[in-house]
Amino acid sequence: MVDLLIKNALVVTCHPNVISGRIFSPGAVAVHRDRIVDIGPSAELEAKYADAAKVIDGDGRIVMPGFIITHTHMPYVLGHNQPVDVSQLRSFWDMLQKMGWEWLEDITTADGILAATQYASLKMLKSGTTTVCDLVEAPNALPGPLTASVRAITETGIRAQIGYEVTERVAGVPIAERLDPAYAKRGFEENIRLFESLASAEGQSSRIQGRLGVHTAYTNSPATLERARELANQYKCGIQIHIAEIPRAFLVEKYGRSAPEVLEETGLLGPDVVAAHCIDLDDADIDILARNKVNVAHTPMTNSLGGNGVARVPEMMEKGINISLGHDCFFTLDTAEYIRFAYLIHKAHWANPALLPPFQALDLALGNAAAALGMEKEIGSLDVGKKADIILIRPDSPMPVTPSTVIPFFTMTFRGSDVETVIVDGEIVVDGGTSTRVDEAIVRKACVEQAVALWKRNGIEA
Ligand SMILES: [Zn+2]
């Protein structure tokens, strides 16, 4: 007997990647406990698992692996729609120092993190994202931000890797004026507290893993970057960091070297590193990322917001760099929009419609993302033995979605609101578009209250 049989659906395995994956129509997936135990033609599995404890009829639905976002900051939802004075935002530095730090991170509280992370993870689940890698930044909420994150994530049921951002930046002091390693120490302590608690809390939540957070090469000294590598090796947790989201010239001016050069010298880079942005890189920088097998979290929307240019994704792919998808939580939480943005921007920028075909754009949020998080054996595709992280989509499309149209559907018309059922670890966490875990109205209300309180700290009345 199996716990769950999803039958009569258009099953897209995306295994080992989207283009090589199998499609069964009508197909079925059998789940027992937290794992996929069988995939194949529906009639075959229906006969084999006639006594399944629960059956979902997937007629008219696409069944596929849940999406994975490899870089975000869930507490940033508190800044959504904040009516800030845009005349103060004339450069990326303004965006970073005012919109990112002064108006948001530096005034974020633990209660804000709890409410925002509940809301963001719920919204992501409802639109088909089953795993997220979250980098928490709230210097004035230390110690404790990750405790709030863990609580929120545990409640909504999303799978996550989380870490606190280590930085020597002193809140309220320009980084060119002063950095202080004591602040990095507090950041390390917050990460270590999480790693130790996850290691000791037996069965607390196997869905949460730690991933050491580091802000950037330019807000940390080489000694702090070396310490980050030591800790990542000790806890086998991997590292998440921002690389080259700012003009290359800034680092070259400061250190005489680019961010990849500084990070390679300190030994921080490696196949367990997820690097967000990676925009302003020269050929030698890209070679450094390639030879260190660094995973890139491509964040096309925030790269555009900051006016930072377009990351050289097609060239990085050619050099064998694993490219996944991040979103920073600055905009919508619907992964469909980020897939589509990534799918389009490189065609426009390089005037080449052949770049990033639909299957490749989709891989960014599936197999590539699973590999970036070191979880390619567990998630990112439907395969026997893998975690049952599965989504059911009811396409709101004017055209038939068939085995030959299902992949282009994702870049053409798919929206997160088409997602109907979401399964994580074999557990149905979204049923008919509604969370089975939390009261959505309460989550939303708490998040709105925290956003209004944060805006007030900026002198803004909602
Ligand atoms: Zn970021």
Side-chain angles (χ1 to χ4, degrees):
M1 196 176 91
V2 294
D3 290 334
L4 173 66
L5 181 69
I6 307 164
K7 65 172 190 179
N8 208 21
L10 178 58
V11 176
V12 186
T13 68
C14 305
H15 186 78
N17 50 40
V18 174
I19 200 163
S20 313
R22 299 188 68 185
I23 295 177
F24 297 98
S25 180
V29 180
V31 172
H32 194 60
R33 299 184 196 279
D34 59 337
R35 302 274 168 185
I36 295 167
V37 293
D38 212 347
I39 305 171
S42 196
E44 212 176 274
L45 267 68
E46 282 176 62
K48 213 161 148 186
Y49 305 107
D51 59 348
K54 182 176 173 61
V55 177
I56 297 177
D57 188 349
D59 186 28
R61 274 75 167 172
I62 299 165
V63 169
M64 66 177 296
F67 296 113
I68 302 163
I69 286 293
T70 58
H71 180 78
T72 203
H73 312 280
M74 288 198 270
Y76 272 19
V77 295
L78 298 178
H80 281 192
N81 302 334
Q82 184 172 205
V84 297
D85 176 6
V86 289
S87 70
Q88 293 189 50
L89 303 174
R90 298 202 175 275
S91 70
F92 173 71
W93 283 111
D94 294 340
M95 306 281 298
L96 184 66
Q97 295 183 67
K98 293 187 180 6
M99 209 163 142
W101 295 341
E102 189 183 328
W103 298 342
L104 195 52
E105 287 171 26
D106 294 352
I107 53 171
T108 297
T109 63
D111 287 345
I113 292 168
L114 175 66
T117 306
Q118 280 174 329
Y119 178 83
S121 56
L122 172 66
K123 282 291 231 189
M124 275 189 264
L125 278 172
K126 280 164 61 93
S127 50
T129 301
T130 48
T131 299
V132 62
C133 183
D134 194 34
L135 179 52
V136 179
E137 307 159 312
N140 290 316
L142 284 168
L146 293 182
T147 309
S149 298
V150 167
R151 192 178 141 199
I153 289 164
T154 305
E155 283 173 11
T156 59
I158 202 166
R159 188 183 299 289
Q161 289 189 347
I162 59 173
Y164 183 82
E165 180 188 275
V166 169
T167 177
E168 296 181 11
R169 177 177 77 86
V170 183
V173 178
I175 55 169
E177 200 178 301
R178 181 163 67 97
L179 292 176
D180 185 346
Y183 286 81
K185 190 166 171 281
R186 295 170 71 207
F188 280 130
E189 284 165 3
E190 182 70 10
N191 283 286
I192 291 169
R193 249 192 314 275
L194 170 80
F195 302 153
E196 302 276 346
S197 80
L198 290 177
S200 65
E202 244 177 73
Q204 181 202 27
S205 174
S206 61
R207 290 183 206 172
I208 301 177
Q209 295 176 357
R211 176 169 288 272
L212 180 63
V214 180
H215 181 229
T216 65
Y218 61 87
T219 47
N220 284 301
S221 61
T224 293
L225 299 171
E226 285 164 14
R227 175 78 181 129
R229 170 42 67 199
E230 274 172 27
L231 278 179
N233 291 348
Q234 183 185 338
Y235 287 97
K236 297 186 174 37
C237 58
I239 293 172
Q240 48 181 332
I241 186 169
H242 304 95
I243 295 182
E245 76 281 31
I246 60 165
R248 189 175 184 279
F250 177 82
L251 264 108
V252 174
E253 199 180 298
K254 183 169 177 174
Y255 295 109
R257 294 183 299 288
S258 70
E261 284 169 338
V262 171
L263 293 166
E264 188 180 48
E265 264 179 32
T266 58
L268 183 137
L269 299 181
D272 62 347
V273 172
V274 179
H277 308 294
C278 299
I279 311 163
D280 194 1
L281 301 172
D282 70 10
D283 291 346
D285 294 332
I286 291 178
D287 287 341
I288 289 173
L289 298 186
R291 72 169 168 259
N292 286 282
K293 298 187 167 46
V294 169
N295 303 279
V296 170
H298 179 38
T299 53
M301 277 203 207
T302 31
N303 297 352
S304 302
L305 177 74
N308 294 334
V310 177
R312 296 165 66 184
V313 163
E315 290 165 88
M316 287 196 272
M317 280 177 163
E318 264 178 37
K319 289 198 172 173
I321 296 175
N322 180 39
I323 310 287
S324 58
L325 197 63
H327 65 24
D328 269 330
C329 260
F330 251 104
F331 298 95
T332 163
L333 298 157
D334 181 356
T335 296
E337 292 203 20
Y338 297 89
I339 292 172
R340 188 166 298 116
F341 201 87
Y343 169 70
L344 292 173
I345 195 168
H346 301 287
K347 293 173 178 60
H349 184 69
W350 279 278
N352 181 354
L355 294 174
L356 247 82
F359 68 87
Q360 228 170 30
L362 210 44
D363 276 334
L364 301 180
L366 293 171
N368 292 12
L373 301 183
M375 299 184 77
E376 65 276 13
K377 292 199 173 96
E378 296 285 70
I379 57 174
S381 68
L382 302 184
D383 192 31
V384 172
K386 276 196 165 182
K387 287 282 191 186
D389 287 10
I390 303 169
I391 59 175
L392 278 82
I393 296 164
R394 185 177 197 178
D396 180 12
S397 166
M399 303 303 166
V401 178
T402 66
S404 60
T405 63
V406 68
I407 303 304
F409 157 75
F410 286 102
T411 46
M412 196 71 78
T413 60
F414 168 60
R415 292 184 310 162
S417 53
D418 296 347
V419 174
E420 200 176 54
T421 305
V422 179
I423 298 166
V424 180
D425 256 350
E427 177 198 346
I428 297 172
V429 293
V430 174
D431 192 6
T434 303
S435 173
T436 60
R437 289 284 205 101
V438 293
D439 184 324
E440 295 182 24
I442 292 174
V443 168
R444 185 173 183 284
K445 187 167 173 278
C447 191
V448 170
E449 279 170 12
Q450 288 297 328
V452 168
L454 181 134
W455 297 7
K456 211 172 229 170
R457 283 172 225 136
N458 286 324
I460 297 167
E461 288 296 331

